[in-house]
Amino acid sequence: MIRRSNKIIIFKRLFIWVLYLLSGFILYTQKGNLYSFLISFTRILYPLSIFWLQIRIKKISNFLPIDSSMSTAQLWFNILPVLASLLAVIFSITNLFLFVQELLT
């Protein structure tokens, strides 16, 4: 039972990484299908989002490590990189899907 669960987890992670790395390849090698400022934003933050994704996949911690005892600066220090990386993930995968859709039509 445990082996099957581990295989499923490995398959899911492999699928996520292949999808995300393919979207990065399309992002940097092809003309963007989104607005130019979104493509520029994503190209700048894509490497950061890879490291952020890896940390979040490996750790079994909260998605956003927010505590009630944090100061405002600490909250922004935790929220901004996560938000920027999440937007980079969304934009790069959206760009990939639009690229594939353009190829199919």
Side-chain angles (χ1 to χ4, degrees):
M1 195 70 157
I2 294 173
R3 286 183 173 254
R4 186 168 187 250
S5 176
N6 286 341
K7 287 181 182 179
I8 291 173
I9 289 172
I10 290 172
F11 181 72
K12 286 179 183 178
R13 286 185 181 176
L14 183 64
F15 176 74
I16 289 170
W17 279 112
V18 167
L19 179 72
Y20 195 56
L21 291 174
L22 180 63
S23 70
F25 178 75
I26 297 300
L27 180 70
Y28 285 107
T29 60
Q30 303 294 323
K31 179 180 171 271
N33 294 322
L34 297 172
Y35 295 114
S36 63
F37 67 93
L38 292 178
I39 294 296
S40 299
F41 171 80
T42 308
R43 284 181 180 162
I44 291 169
L45 291 177
Y46 181 81
L48 171 70
S49 64
I50 288 177
F51 294 119
W52 176 80
L53 237 166
Q54 182 64 29
I55 290 169
R56 291 297 166 208
I57 287 175
K58 278 192 162 192
K59 282 189 173 183
I60 306 175
S61 62
N62 294 336
F63 187 70
L64 285 171
I66 296 176
D67 192 0
S68 62
S69 63
M70 291 180 162
S71 68
T72 305
Q74 289 173 327
L75 287 173
W76 282 113
F77 184 76
N78 283 328
I79 292 173
L80 286 179
V82 171
L83 183 62
S85 297
L86 189 60
L87 287 174
V89 168
I90 291 169
F91 294 151
S92 66
I93 292 177
T94 303
N95 188 47
L96 172 69
F97 287 142
L98 291 175
F99 176 77
V100 169
Q101 181 184 9
E102 185 179 300
L103 281 180
L104 294 177
T105 56

